[in-house]
Amino acid sequence: MTDSAAPAVSRFEIHDAAPAISSVVRTSKATLLSGARAAEIRAILERRGAIVFPEIHLTDEEQIAFTHTLGTFAHEDGEGADGKDAVYPITMDESINPIASYLKGAFFWHIDGTMSDKPILASIMSARRIAPTGGETEFCNTYAAWDELPEEDQRQLVGLKVAHAVWRSQLYWHPEPSFDLLQRWMARGKNILPLVWKHRSGRRSLVLGATALQVVGMDIDASEALLVRLRDWATQPRFVYRHTWKVGDMVIWDNTGTMHRALAYDHACGRLMHRTKLEGEESFA
Ligand SMILES: [Fe+2]
């Protein structure tokens, strides 16, 4: 390594983006790709829920390489069979992503991978093309939301289980599907998850989001009231960071301690994000 490259490798400045969630890290591509700060990035991620790397402009290959420095690269369903790692296009443009309409569930607060018992650890998303207005991404800290619940609430929630289903989240954007479409959504199955996730670290977080269908064993009205009350609680501004994208920004978020959603934008505007993911390392239960 040359002397002139050395300062770029060592630059690593951190500040909070919002009080309860998200840090901004200003660093260089070389630092990220070296892996030298990988353990620190993992620690910030767990502590702060999300990390913004402003206008870092990683290429797809660099984003894949960076993802590998942090953990096990997770392939999308049906991809990676050829052994190649790839970025996944998040867009409403069906010429780029043929199943773009499924992504419309992302406009509502959710956790990725609630159909799995071991959800992905984190997502990493880079902005390739942004919306002229709207299209921000919001993150809320579900550890902080749990920590600040009154003790009485906490006592009542521990031990509750919630059925999650993909079809529930799809109904948010398409409330009157054909029977055929509903059946295809339902074929994705259901998953029973704890409402309160006790992590290996001993910390607890709330497991909520658009796939949350019903609290097991609870009357539908009481269940809906509880799920909406908790979502409303967890997504208060004090637990939220809203990221307004610039081209080249990269954000990584801890999918096990946050929920996220995209804000509305013109679906014809060409907004395009490239996402990679880290394999889950811990089961919900
Ligand atoms: Fe998502």
Side-chain angles (χ1 to χ4, degrees):
M1 185 170 295
T2 64
D3 287 338
S4 61
V9 172
S10 58
R11 182 184 179 223
F12 199 83
E13 299 159 15
I14 311 165
H15 70 264
D16 291 353
I21 180 168
S22 195
S23 293
V24 175
V25 170
R26 292 186 189 277
T27 185
S28 64
K29 280 190 182 192
T31 300
L32 293 184
L33 295 173
S34 72
R37 298 284 191 162
E40 189 174 353
I41 290 169
R42 289 274 306 239
I44 299 168
L45 189 62
E46 210 240 325
R47 195 172 73 244
R48 298 288 302 162
I51 307 175
V52 179
F53 300 94
E55 296 178 276
I56 189 81
H57 290 284
L58 294 196
T59 64
D60 289 349
E61 293 69 26
E62 288 167 342
Q63 183 172 332
I64 290 166
F66 171 61
T67 305
H68 277 284
T69 69
L70 298 176
T72 305
F73 189 97
H75 293 279
E76 297 293 331
D77 290 347
E79 285 192 359
D82 58 1
K84 286 201 192 109
D85 300 335
V87 297
Y88 184 77
I90 305 283
T91 178
M92 288 298 132
D93 183 344
E94 293 196 348
S95 72
I96 295 175
N97 187 332
I99 59 161
S101 63
Y102 267 98
L103 303 176
K104 289 179 186 163
F107 290 103
F108 305 93
W109 287 108
H110 67 284
I111 296 170
D112 291 334
T114 52
M115 291 302 99
S116 160
D117 290 333
K118 191 189 271 187
I120 58 163
L121 171 64
S123 286
I124 300 165
M125 205 156 79
S126 293
R128 292 286 182 265
R129 284 199 294 277
I130 60 172
T133 55
E136 301 91 342
T137 304
E138 289 188 328
F139 305 91
C140 74
N141 188 330
T142 53
Y143 282 120
W146 164 263
D147 289 342
E148 295 192 31
L149 271 175
E151 272 180 40
E152 173 70 21
D153 269 331
Q154 290 184 339
R155 265 196 302 276
Q156 288 174 4
L157 298 182
V158 166
L160 291 182
K161 299 213 178 296
V162 179
H164 286 254
V166 167
W167 63 263
R168 170 66 189 241
S169 64
Q170 299 301 309
L171 284 178
Y172 276 80
W173 66 269
H174 195 352
E176 288 188 344
S178 67
F179 182 50
D180 179 61
L181 182 58
L182 180 70
Q183 284 181 303
R184 275 187 275 139
W185 291 343
M186 285 186 163
R188 304 275 299 274
K190 245 193 236 177
N191 204 16
I192 307 293
L193 300 176
L195 178 56
V196 182
W197 185 353
K198 186 172 183 192
H199 298 255
R200 285 184 303 214
S201 62
R203 297 173 75 200
R204 286 187 164 97
S205 66
L206 291 168
V207 179
L208 298 165
T211 57
L213 184 61
Q214 188 168 1
V215 181
V216 175
M218 191 177 279
D219 165 79
I220 185 73
D221 286 13
S223 166
E224 195 64 16
L226 177 59
L227 292 173
V228 169
R229 180 166 70 88
L230 291 176
R231 190 251 298 139
D232 201 39
W233 169 266
T235 59
Q236 294 174 83
R238 65 190 173 115
F239 299 130
V240 170
Y241 169 67
R242 175 184 295 180
H243 186 66
T244 301
W245 293 92
K246 286 194 171 130
V247 171
D249 284 355
M250 179 172 72
V251 177
I252 174 168
W253 67 92
D254 172 2
N255 183 59
T256 71
T258 62
M259 287 194 287
H260 59 282
R261 68 171 177 179
L263 299 191
Y265 60 90
D266 174 6
H267 292 185
C269 76
R271 181 184 187 270
L272 175 66
M273 302 280 158
H274 280 184
R275 182 184 71 188
T276 49
K277 299 187 299 194
L278 288 170
E279 287 282 10
E281 298 177 0
E282 187 173 9
S283 299
F284 281 113

